[in-house]
Amino acid sequence: RAFLSDMSPLEDEYQIYDIDIVNSMPSVFLQLASELKHPCPLLSEYVRNRTAVLNDNQLTKLDVIICLNKDKVNNKWCPGLKLLHIETHRLKVAINQKYQDLITINPSSDNPISSCAGRIYRYFENELLTEAVNIVNDAEHAYPTTCCFDGFHLACKSPRLRDGIIDKLCKAP
């Protein structure tokens, strides 16, 4: 990560760990779907069983991320990915309607729905990361870096301390 240099003064005394939101974009979209009471069974299956879904459909994580970031279906996509696109496209429309006043955006002209939903997703991802960093800041002998994409680096003195912090992060609302 680019921000690893933030940790260089701590490297002698502390161990550095990379902390990420697992399956970030699909997970945040699924959380928003739940809040909106918008059923997304295919997205839910992907989040719960990512490896199996990818293997069964001969997909990569990148294929799914591209699908989540596009307004138009790619005719080369497999049937399962096309169905996921239809489901998540409807979700993105609902997200954009619900949170249209949350952020000011200038949507991409060729990808307006996904562009807006992507910015809203990043807003909520940042909220999650900020909450996680605040939990780390409350721990003794643990220091986070600046958030970067779907995570941050954590400097702490022992794996036991790291595990305790991760346990707190997993139990956070």
Side-chain angles (χ1 to χ4, degrees):
R1 292 259 187 142
F3 292 103
L4 193 56
S5 62
D6 291 356
M7 294 291 180
S8 57
L10 302 172
E11 286 179 349
D12 291 338
E13 197 174 336
Y14 292 81
Q15 296 174 3
I16 311 298
Y17 301 96
D18 187 22
I19 308 295
D20 293 319
I21 299 172
V22 175
N23 211 3
S24 181
M25 181 177 253
S27 295
V28 172
F29 273 150
L30 187 59
Q31 184 177 355
L32 291 171
S34 176
E35 290 175 16
L36 294 171
K37 297 183 181 11
H38 190 95
C40 289
L42 297 173
L43 183 60
S44 179
E45 178 66 19
Y46 176 77
V47 169
R48 278 194 325 267
N49 301 304
R50 177 172 66 179
T51 301
V53 170
L54 292 174
N55 290 340
D56 292 349
N57 292 281
Q58 298 179 326
L59 297 170
T60 66
K61 293 185 292 186
L62 182 58
D63 293 327
V64 174
I65 297 303
I66 290 169
C67 171
L68 293 175
N69 281 290
K70 292 290 183 188
D71 283 358
K72 296 180 180 133
V73 173
N74 182 329
N75 290 327
K76 296 178 183 176
W77 289 346
C78 70
L81 196 56
K82 287 179 183 178
L83 290 173
L84 178 64
H85 182 271
I86 291 167
E87 179 179 282
T88 57
H89 187 77
R90 290 178 183 148
L91 171 62
K92 289 182 283 187
V93 168
I95 288 170
N96 292 348
Q97 288 173 345
K98 169 74 175 174
Y99 298 106
Q100 64 186 350
D101 296 331
L102 185 64
I103 56 176
T104 303
I105 54 173
N106 296 317
S108 158
S109 60
D110 60 338
N111 213 30
I113 294 168
S114 295
S115 175
C116 292
R119 291 178 188 205
I120 294 166
Y121 146 73
R122 283 186 290 283
Y123 172 87
F124 283 105
E125 179 184 61
N126 188 55
E127 291 285 308
L128 291 169
L129 290 171
T130 300
E131 184 178 323
V133 166
N134 288 338
I135 289 170
V136 172
N137 282 333
D138 289 342
E140 252 185 79
H141 306 293
Y143 305 96
T145 62
T146 306
C147 297
C148 180
F149 302 110
D150 63 348
F152 57 94
H153 284 107
L154 168 67
C156 60
K157 289 196 172 201
S158 72
R160 198 173 108 210
L161 177 60
R162 175 209 56 209
D163 293 346
I165 291 169
I166 290 173
D167 188 51
K168 286 180 185 176
L169 292 173
C170 290
K171 291 179 180 174

